Amino acid sequence: MRHYWTDKPPSARRVGVGETAAEYGEFRLIERISRLFAGTDRVLLGQGDDAAVLAVPDGRVVACTDMLVEGNHFRTDWSSGADVGHKAAAANLADVAAMGARATGLMVALSLTPETDVEWVVELAEGIASESDSTGAAVIGGDTTRGSQLTVAVTALGDLEGRDPVTRRGARVGDVLAYAGRLGWSSAGLAVLHRGFRSPGALVGAYRRPQPPYAAGPVAAAMGATAMIDVSDGLLSDVGHLAESSNVSIDIDASALTISDAMARAAEALGADPLQWVLAGGEDHALVATFPADVILPADWTPIGNVAEGRGVTVDGHRWQGGSGWDHFDRSGG
Amino acid sequence: MRHYWTDKPPSARRVGVGETAAEYGEFRLIERISRLFAGTDRVLLGQGDDAAVLAVPDGRVVACTDMLVEGNHFRTDWSSGADVGHKAAAANLADVAAMGARATGLMVALSLTPETDVEWVVELAEGIASESDSTGAAVIGGDTTRGSQLTVAVTALGDLEGRDPVTRRGARVGDVLAYAGRLGWSSAGLAVLHRGFRSPGALVGAYRRPQPPYAAGPVAAAMGATAMIDVSDGLLSDVGHLAESSNVSIDIDASALTISDAMARAAEALGADPLQWVLAGGEDHALVATFPADVILPADWTPIGNVAEGRGVTVDGHRWQGGSGWDHFDRSGG
């Protein structure tokens, strides 16, 4: 593993108060961060060598990676270092859960600017460690380097514990669509922040620190889920991926979706449609899965739709007229 | 897996000619890149789902990650997209080899600017695919996002095939130090480029596309190597890590180090000391390892020193007076 920290400072703004990464020095920073990451019995060799070694008794490893960039995925005036760490870990841990697997290891590559506040980075590492600990996964390695933009790349590894992976392509006609977790909370929180508000705290908190239902993934796999995905782009968009990959159509029953009181109040204050947040808001990392109709759903799963022949996703039998999720730059090839 | 490509273009310079990432669109780009990545029999589930699934019959997975940032680790006027892809893959594949493992899977997270030339990105992916193919590893997943600085984060996974991992801390008094691969070539090539030259081609090529001796890692492990590391920061610096982790001293015999003709000529032309490149130049990703004195070294390993009691690294019994490797910003905590 190589830790670059060369001597040419790119221009970048200061992200906080206190000592900067350049003043503090790379090795001290790595040493300080490393102490935050505890091992587990899966970690056969942790940080500090060329690579880490993780036990995967199943004989298959689940792996995914996700990159967050300042200004695009987070703003340091809206989220603390700990919030960003939490969120970066959660995005990857949820991807592992969406395969029906349990996360066991995380790796973190960081690009810092010379002006990055050291305490912000330490908080980021604490956020990653804390969210990762909550799922039983360990941070097993990483890399720090310097750039002109704060960038966090997280890789998560997971174990299927003998189960088959639940992909996006197994939904069958007649299956029930269900979800676990939250829908629209993060998106509502972001809308609140965009308007310059800081409350309701539940929504802003959901944007800052999503709470994916990690345990619901392996449970769904064990109960016979036929397809699963985590809602990172928005319910319609991600259910659309399930439908397309499985070559089926999926209809969502709007009356089965919950609008929380906080969301209803925020929507009224902002003149927004809360259903739009629930249907098209991403980043809560809810899990959505299809199950055979005769499966009794686990307690944390709520049925919200049905799988039929055809293509695409409908709401109460009709195409949704709002947006379907994140505005991508160009969807022409999607 | 989430592919962000939101609609706020950060300012960034154009890196090449032709269609830009913003014009081309994220989904088309991902689709085009994905086609370059072939599977292997280890890939149970490849790209296009929330996570990939890789077979690790050994029951342990080796994992490392490395981030390359434009302007810090590469310049688009000195290296093509394919060169950068090759180099990003090589840095990680060499880390896996340095554990005595065989690489099986790579994941790639990319941050592109809206102005990034699409052909450059396709070449980058081709470089990664080609270098990864050469070791038998497959690209199993990734993420693309947008930022203001081209950034490539690669994660490599590998298999120990039943062997113990070779760490940095097993060197014992009386062991022989040996290396496989090249030393100083990349550094000499970089010095040539810094002076505005493009030849000797062998050195510039070594800077652009290092050729780590991947197979030598598992061979060394099988032959009983007691400690191993890849030379990414420089021979003295990385042997220093071995010595420190193993709590021994290591003496290097300068007469055992090879100065290639190209390097001697370049050194003369630039007024440089070629031994400085060999001792302190990184990025060739040679492997350096310690072996018990009675081991007959494999053909591609050259003995260059000895392990004794004490601390630190010496050259012919003395502290080297030149630099020991990369100039880090601050070594006070190292």
Side-chain angles (χ1 to χ4, degrees), chain A residues 85-146:
Chain A
H86 179 111
K87 199 164 184 161
N92 284 278
L93 295 166
D95 277 329
V96 170
M99 302 306 292
R102 193 165 68 81
T104 51
L106 281 191
M107 283 185 296
V108 183
L110 286 179
S111 174
L112 308 175
T113 77
E115 292 80 7
T116 300
D117 179 39
V118 166
E119 290 311 316
W120 193 93
V121 182
V122 171
E123 278 183 26
L124 174 87
E126 285 169 350
I128 293 171
S130 147
E131 188 62 5
S132 149
D133 285 352
S134 78
T135 68
V139 177
I140 58 172
D143 186 28
T144 54
T145 184
R146 178 195 286 199

Side-chain angles (χ1 to χ4, degrees), chain A residues 2 5 148 326 328-329, chain B residues 2-3 5 146 149 326 329:
Chain A
R2 177 167 179 182
W5 199 264
S148 59
W326 272 75
H328 287 275
F329 198 85
Chain B
R2 177 167 180 183
H3 305 286
W5 200 263
R146 177 195 287 202
Q149 188 172 32
W326 271 74
F329 198 87

Side-chain angles (χ1 to χ4, degrees), chain B residues 112-168:
Chain B
L112 308 175
T113 77
E115 292 80 7
T116 301
D117 179 38
V118 165
E119 290 312 315
W120 193 92
V121 181
V122 172
E123 278 183 26
L124 174 87
E126 284 169 350
I128 293 171
S130 145
E131 188 62 5
S132 149
D133 285 352
S134 77
T135 68
V139 177
I140 58 172
D143 186 28
T144 54
T145 184
R146 177 195 287 202
S148 59
Q149 188 172 32
L150 259 174
T151 303
V152 187
V154 176
T155 299
L157 304 177
D159 198 307
L160 286 160
E161 302 173 322
R163 293 179 298 272
D164 283 337
V166 184
T167 69
R168 299 178 178 183

Side-chain angles (χ1 to χ4, degrees), chain A residues 1-8 10 22-28 31 44-45 48-57 59-69 71-73 95-96 98-99 107-111 140-143 145-149 151-153 155-157 160 165-169 228-230 232-233 241 282-283 326-334, chain B residues 1-8 10 22-28 31 44-45 48-57 59-69 71-73 95-96 98-99 107-111 140-143 145-149 151-153 155-157 160 165-169 228-230 232-233 241 282-283 326-334:
Chain A
M1 207 176 307
R2 177 167 179 182
H3 305 286
Y4 299 90
W5 199 264
T6 52
D7 55 356
K8 208 179 104 202
E23 287 156 7
Y24 199 76
E26 181 204 19
F27 286 98
R28 278 175 74 197
E31 201 179 286
L44 306 177
L45 183 69
D49 219 296
D50 293 279
V53 183
L54 190 72
V56 276
R60 298 166 299 171
V61 67
V62 169
C64 61
T65 192
D66 217 39
M67 190 182 259
L68 274 68
V69 176
N72 187 355
H73 306 104
D95 277 329
V96 170
M99 302 306 292
M107 283 185 296
V108 183
L110 286 179
S111 174
I140 58 172
D143 186 28
T145 184
R146 178 195 286 199
S148 59
Q149 189 171 33
T151 303
V152 187
T155 299
L157 303 177
L160 286 160
V166 184
T167 69
R168 300 178 178 183
R169 56 187 187 228
M228 184 153 50
I229 192 169
D230 88 297
S232 49
D233 285 349
H241 292 311
E283 294 212 329
W326 272 75
D327 272 326
H328 287 275
F329 198 85
D330 177 342
R331 311 202 74 138
S332 59
Chain B
M1 206 178 309
R2 177 167 180 183
H3 305 286
Y4 298 89
W5 200 263
T6 52
D7 54 356
K8 207 178 104 203
E23 287 157 8
Y24 199 75
E26 180 204 19
F27 287 98
R28 277 175 74 197
E31 200 178 285
L44 305 178
L45 183 68
D49 218 294
D50 294 279
V53 183
L54 190 71
V56 276
R60 297 166 299 172
V61 67
V62 169
C64 60
T65 191
D66 216 39
M67 189 183 260
L68 273 69
V69 176
N72 186 356
H73 306 103
D95 277 329
V96 170
M99 302 305 295
M107 283 186 296
V108 184
L110 287 178
S111 174
I140 58 172
D143 186 28
T145 184
R146 177 195 287 202
S148 59
Q149 188 172 32
T151 303
V152 187
T155 299
L157 304 177
L160 286 160
V166 184
T167 69
R168 299 178 178 183
R169 57 187 184 225
M228 185 154 49
I229 193 169
D230 88 297
S232 48
D233 285 348
H241 292 312
E283 293 212 328
W326 271 74
D327 271 326
H328 287 277
F329 198 87
D330 177 342
R331 312 203 74 141
S332 60

